Amino acid sequence: MSDHDDQGFGTRCIHGGQKPCEATGAIMPPVYMTSTYVQSSPGVNQGYDYSRTINPTRRALERNLASLEGGRHGLAYSSGMAAADCAVHLLSQGDHIVACNDLYGGSYRLLRAVYEQLGIESTFVDTTDEAAFREAFRPTTRMVWIETPSNPLLRITDIELCTSIARASGALSVVDNTFATPYLQQPLGLGADIVLHSTTKYMGGHSDVVGGALVVNDDALHERLRFLQNSVGAVPGPMDCFLTLRGAKTLHLRMQRHAENASQIAAWLEAHEAVDTVMYPGLPSHAQHALAMRQMKNGGGMVSFEVRGGLDASRIVAERVRLFALAESLGGVESLLDHPAIMTHASIPVAERHAAGLTDGLLRLSVGVEDVADLIGDLTQALAEI
Ligand SMILES: *Cc1c(COP(=O)(O)O)cnc(C)c1O
């Protein structure tokens, strides 16, 4: 626990887990570009021995992330996938995972194409359907993997319900909180054992660094993850930690503006004649709007929509936007547009993609913090080209 854990979220963004440098007063944690630390006698050091194991800049980031998620322990990784990999490493051959079927493509690939070969099987299920979720459990189920809002369909899973079902079955629950960020929801308080982040996205927030994190409360779980982090070695460098930490300081401000812009764009799209469906948890028309408003502070910064005319029409919009950049990733200050079926989710087999409701005409927006009138102007001209 840090000194700031009883303070408001914005205060923790800026101060959580950090103190000015005692030697110099530097207000930002220095970037400790060092691989090793001098010992005064063999085995006698100041708590730092080797930078894969521990680095002061990384510690500052890990403490900050823990504080934001309301958790006791944070662990930083070289990418979100490295963090995910470390969480799956808690399992053994023969163990089974129940995962959300509307999952980040890379997480799906990790579970399906990497861990299945090693004897850890996953069942992908609609975690918004309680009966289907319960049915997916096997006697060997040891982990539940939830992403909410999901990607790219922005479906909402009831975290409290799913983590309590997982716990009753003796399974650890992992909640990927990349889309929501702790500004919108804090899964540990809703029963999750492990919160996962791709800090590449909103936490870093400036599209300039790749990273990942896990946050947990349980001391024994933390110790095991710390052992795995050091054994596998997918740790971020100090400069990456510094950049992520700098980004995290404005998370609350950015998230406010992301959500304001996204909710205006979602309402505008819903009224547009070239648009079939809009998926945004903050819209009253969203199938799980009530749950979203209970679980999340607001609808967040991601909006997905289907244009009339399927693949061809959606490709035109993707090619014609000018202010929205056509790119994978999300969560940065600049607005991005993604074509999930062709770009981020292409590794999911077509039949499975369609069964999950991910159509070829779907577009996903990561709404940035620009002036919303300019963003709507850009979408207006792109949709007019269909
Ligand atoms: C990007 C992302 C990941 C993977 O993170 P990387 O930093 O790209 O390795 C995992 N989950 C979600 C929801 C993501 O958006």
Side-chain angles (χ1 to χ4, degrees):
M1 289 270 166
S2 77
D3 297 342
H4 302 285
D5 284 345
D6 56 344
Q7 296 179 330
F9 186 80
T11 306
R12 282 184 285 136
C13 284
I14 296 158
H15 298 288
Q18 295 167 68
K19 284 198 281 278
C21 169
E22 277 169 17
T24 64
I27 198 157
M28 273 303 281
V31 185
Y32 285 89
M33 288 286 199
T34 187
S35 60
T36 190
Y37 308 84
V38 177
Q39 313 203 0
S40 58
S41 170
V44 180
N45 57 53
Q46 299 176 50
Y48 296 91
D49 50 5
Y50 185 62
S51 272
R52 169 164 35 75
T53 316
I54 188 167
N55 176 284
T57 316
R58 196 173 91 215
R59 290 297 278 164
L61 172 63
E62 292 181 331
R63 290 200 171 111
N64 179 257
L65 296 172
S67 170
L68 294 185
E69 283 291 355
R72 290 166 57 79
H73 309 288
L75 300 104
Y77 296 88
S78 55
S79 70
M81 290 324 302
D85 178 69
C86 196
V88 185
H89 262 107
L90 290 165
L91 302 183
S92 305
Q93 192 170 21
D95 289 349
H96 173 247
I97 301 172
V98 174
C100 161
N101 69 350
D102 183 16
L103 201 61
Y104 175 69
S107 302
Y108 174 88
R109 184 175 54 199
L110 178 74
L111 298 180
R112 214 352 75 99
V114 178
Y115 277 100
E116 219 145 87
Q117 287 176 35
L118 300 175
I120 295 172
E121 269 188 51
S122 296
T123 300
F124 299 90
V125 64
D126 180 0
T127 49
T128 69
D129 176 346
E130 184 185 341
F133 178 66
R134 284 182 186 277
E135 209 153 285
F137 278 74
R138 299 180 190 166
T140 52
T141 303
R142 294 285 173 270
M143 188 170 271
V144 161
W145 199 283
I146 294 165
E147 204 179 302
T148 178
S150 69
N151 173 18
L153 297 174
L154 304 174
R155 292 196 180 124
I156 308 296
T157 291
D158 187 332
I159 297 175
E160 208 160 15
L161 177 68
C162 288
T163 58
S164 74
I165 294 170
R167 184 152 307 201
S169 309
L172 285 173
S173 47
V174 178
V175 176
D176 186 334
N177 210 26
T178 300
F179 268 42
T181 82
Y183 175 80
L184 295 185
Q185 71 193 12
Q186 292 165 16
L188 293 174
L190 299 170
D193 295 299
I194 300 172
V195 172
L196 166 72
H197 275 284
S198 167
T199 57
T200 314
K201 315 296 167 54
Y202 287 109
M203 302 302 291
H206 294 75
S207 311
D208 53 7
V209 59
V210 171
L214 299 177
V215 181
V216 301
N217 264 326
D218 185 77
D219 294 341
L221 186 57
H222 168 241
E223 214 164 288
R224 179 69 187 158
L225 287 169
R226 192 62 78 186
F227 169 82
L228 289 167
Q229 181 197 40
N230 186 46
S231 302
V232 177
V235 293
M239 193 65 208
D240 288 357
C241 292
F242 173 84
L243 286 171
T244 306
L245 195 53
R246 179 160 84 159
K249 283 177 186 283
T250 54
L251 178 67
H252 56 309
L253 300 175
R254 289 184 284 107
M255 288 309 289
Q256 264 168 29
R257 181 63 171 263
H258 281 300
E260 274 170 31
N261 284 358
S263 69
Q264 284 193 52
I265 287 173
W268 178 83
L269 283 171
E270 201 167 43
H272 199 289
E273 59 184 8
V275 173
D276 251 340
T277 18
V278 180
M279 298 146 201
Y280 182 66
L283 281 178
S285 60
H286 189 281
Q288 297 144 311
H289 180 64
L291 169 62
M293 292 302 97
R294 196 166 78 235
Q295 189 164 279
M296 300 161 66
K297 192 182 177 84
N298 59 46
M302 302 297 298
V303 179
S304 292
F305 64 104
E306 285 173 315
V307 292
R308 295 227 161 107
L311 183 63
D312 293 341
S314 61
R315 198 195 296 269
I316 290 172
V317 177
E319 285 171 354
R320 301 298 159 87
V321 283
R322 296 188 199 120
L323 187 52
F324 277 87
L326 179 63
E328 303 200 359
S329 197
L330 60 114
V333 289
E334 57 287 289
S335 292
L336 304 181
L337 183 144
D338 166 47
H339 194 301
I342 302 175
M343 295 164 63
T344 46
H345 291 64
S347 62
I348 303 178
V350 182
E352 239 169 283
R353 216 161 60 208
H354 288 172
L358 200 170
T359 61
D360 294 339
L362 187 78
L363 294 170
R364 186 192 77 183
L365 304 178
S366 172
V367 179
V369 299
E370 299 95 339
D371 288 302
V372 71
D374 293 330
L375 296 174
I376 288 178
D378 189 34
L379 292 172
T380 301
Q381 64 82 24
L383 284 165
E385 301 279 341
I386 294 178

